[in-house]
Every structure is written in structure tokens, then in C-alpha cells.
Amino acid sequence: MTAIRPAEQTGVARIVCEQLAPRVGDLAHNKELARDAVRRALTDRADIVVLPELTTSGCVFADADEARRTAVGADDPFFDDLRAELYGTRTVVVLGFCEEAGNRLYNSAAVLDAGGMRAVYRKTHLWDRETLFFTPGDRMPPVVTTPHGRIGVLICYDMEFPEMPRRLALAGADLIAVPTNWPLIKDHPVGERPAEIIQAQAAARANGLYIACADRSGTERAQEWTQGTAVINQYGWITATAPEHRAVTDLFLHLSREKAVSPHNDLLGDRRTDLYTQESPLL
């Protein structure tokens, strides 16, 4: 008998972010890594599972040919395998993959549930050497309606552009799922969180919504990673991290729909759209 999940009982959704260590170029290994992570999350009665950016391929490609050898289409049987794992549940999985479409490669994220592929988002802001392999996406990210709430998707460097989480907030997202590969920056001040996490906290606070970031671990061709997996609430506070490579937390995602921050203020309602298209005077 399928276990009753938290959201079915209380409206609370269990979020699980797995901080994985894919092997660059090892498609078979990485597919099984993702399947195992989904199985573990289901054991924990997860409602929403977020896996890292480029889970199926790794990240530090030697060249475009290596990237292409680990690319899969959105119709790859791997996604059918994941869907089968989700049979009988209402669990939603968001994971990054190296997508091949026509003769182009994309750094993409899939959103799927037991019914199949709900959406594919192609990263629109490419970081560093990604520009050598991938074509940037040309469509805004989706907001997918699920039994647990409305899920928007961004990938890694997308989060550095405030317009992206703001657009998802305006589109009604309750949670932004962020598959990411954050390269480790070793010179940030002692005692401070990595800047990428601060950026995510600021985006959550500014837009009054939840953000779940699944970073990666391991060392890939000498590249170390931040291992900054975190779930952030609608006030900008971290509610879960991944000291054991997994972040698990229960959230009532519908709370993000209340944008009032005082009796007289609303995060979205107070926007001065009449001003934002004006030129700022240079004095």
C-alpha cells in the first residue's frame, strides 16, 4: 500500500534536495545515481525532489563532443524509468540534464511526476565555459501546478538575475526549484555564507516565496563545489541544509501566496510599475 504523504494529510509538502556527485561523461552511472536518489526520497515520503544541475552528465566537459556523448533527449527512456519509480505517488521530481535537441545542446531541467514529463526548462543564462557547449534557452521558465503548490524552475546562474525569480513570483510560483552546480569560491569572508546562498535568500525574501537549491558535491577535474544545498522559506531564512548530502524539510507552500509584509505593505502590490520604464536622470 502506498504511504500517505504529508501534503495529503495536512497541506504540508516535504521537500528533499539531494546533493549528488555525478561523474563527468559517465551517463549510465549518473542515471543510476539519480534513480537511487529518487528512491531514497520516496522512502522519506518526499512530495518534491530536487536534484543538481546536469545530474546525468557531470559539468566540466573537455570539449563539445564529450558533452554530446552524455546528452539525452527529453524523450529518453531514462525519464520513463523515473516516472515508473513515481507510480502511485504524487511526488514531483526536478533534475538537471544535458539535453540534445536537433543539433543543439542545452543545459536543461526536467519536471516530471507519475504522469510523465510536465515541463523542460532550458537555462537562459550560461556560466563561463558553458557558453562553449550549450545554446542558451530562449523561453522564460515554466510554473508547474502540482498537488503541493506551484513550482517554478531556474538553473544556477539564472538566480543571479533578479528579474528571473521576480517573473516567477509574478506568475504565481510558490516554490522555485533550483538545480545548481556552484563552483567553490574560497576567498569569501570567514563566517559568511557563500554569496550564491545569500543571493537565494535575498530572492526568497524579495519575492515572498520558497526556494530549494540542490547543489552538487565531489571534485570534478580539479573543480571543487560549494556544496551549498539549502531550502529557504518565504522570509529569506534557511530552513534546511545538507550536512549529510540531503536536505529534508516540510513546508506549507501556499503561505507564499500571502505577500503582505505589514498592514500597509505588499511585496508585489507595492511595485511602482509606472516608474520602472522611466530613464534615471544622470546628474
Side-chain angles (χ1 to χ4, degrees):
M1 184 173 68
T2 302
I4 296 176
R5 304 187 186 287
E8 296 177 78
Q9 296 174 307
T10 64
V12 173
R14 177 159 295 169
I15 315 298
V16 175
C17 294
E18 280 267 1
Q19 188 167 273
L20 304 176
R23 295 177 187 167
V24 64
D26 193 339
L27 183 60
H29 169 82
N30 296 334
K31 285 181 174 180
E32 189 58 32
L33 192 70
R35 283 191 287 263
D36 284 345
V38 169
R39 292 177 192 129
R40 281 192 298 273
L42 290 173
T43 299
D44 281 341
R45 300 185 302 157
D47 295 301
I48 299 169
V49 183
V50 188
L51 304 184
E53 180 180 10
L54 296 172
T55 291
T56 59
S57 61
C59 180
V60 187
F61 303 117
D63 52 40
D65 287 341
E66 183 177 53
R68 192 170 298 278
R69 287 194 295 272
T70 55
V72 298
D75 59 351
D76 191 86
F78 164 68
F79 296 110
D80 291 330
D81 293 343
L82 285 186
R83 180 176 58 82
E85 297 284 351
L86 302 176
Y87 179 77
T89 77
R90 301 197 300 173
T91 302
V92 180
V93 175
V94 183
L95 80 157
F97 71 108
C98 180
E99 182 190 6
E100 184 171 29
N103 62 352
R104 294 183 174 183
L105 298 179
Y106 297 93
N107 182 339
S108 297
V111 183
L112 67 152
D113 59 19
M117 187 72 76
R118 297 293 308 278
V120 172
Y121 166 62
R122 294 168 174 169
K123 186 177 183 180
T124 52
H125 300 84
L126 300 179
W127 171 255
D128 199 17
R129 294 182 75 249
E130 289 177 0
T131 60
L132 304 178
F133 316 124
F134 297 118
T135 298
D138 59 3
R139 296 184 180 182
M140 287 298 293
V143 175
V144 180
T145 300
T146 78
H148 320 296
R150 297 186 291 244
I151 303 174
V153 183
L154 295 175
I155 301 174
C156 200
Y157 188 44
D158 286 331
M159 282 292 295
E160 300 292 326
F161 299 85
E163 297 90 344
M164 300 298 281
R166 173 53 54 88
R167 286 291 298 273
L168 289 173
L170 291 171
D174 301 313
L175 167 77
I176 301 177
V178 188
T180 189
N181 289 173
W182 284 329
L184 179 63
I185 305 298
K186 297 182 179 180
D187 61 354
H188 70 268
V190 174
E192 291 284 358
R193 291 192 174 98
E196 295 90 344
I197 296 176
I198 296 171
Q199 180 83 34
Q201 289 182 264
R205 180 178 176 85
N207 293 290
L209 47 64
Y210 298 90
I211 295 179
C213 302
D215 197 7
R216 62 160 294 167
S217 58
T219 300
E220 190 173 286
R221 289 180 174 159
Q223 176 62 65
E224 297 178 75
W225 308 97
T226 298
Q227 302 187 68
T229 296
V231 182
I232 301 160
N233 71 15
Q234 78 275 34
Y235 303 115
W237 301 117
I238 292 175
T239 64
T241 57
E244 301 298 327
H245 301 289
R246 306 178 76 236
V248 182
T249 189
D250 294 339
L251 302 173
F252 188 63
L253 296 182
H254 288 74
L255 289 177
S256 68
R257 299 181 189 181
E258 176 54 69
K259 303 298 186 183
V261 290
S262 86
H264 306 288
N265 295 101
D266 182 280
L267 285 173
L268 299 184
D270 288 346
R271 296 169 66 242
R272 290 293 307 276
T273 55
D274 58 316
L275 297 180
Y276 299 156
T277 57
Q278 293 183 18
E279 295 286 340
S280 293
L282 181 61
L283 306 177

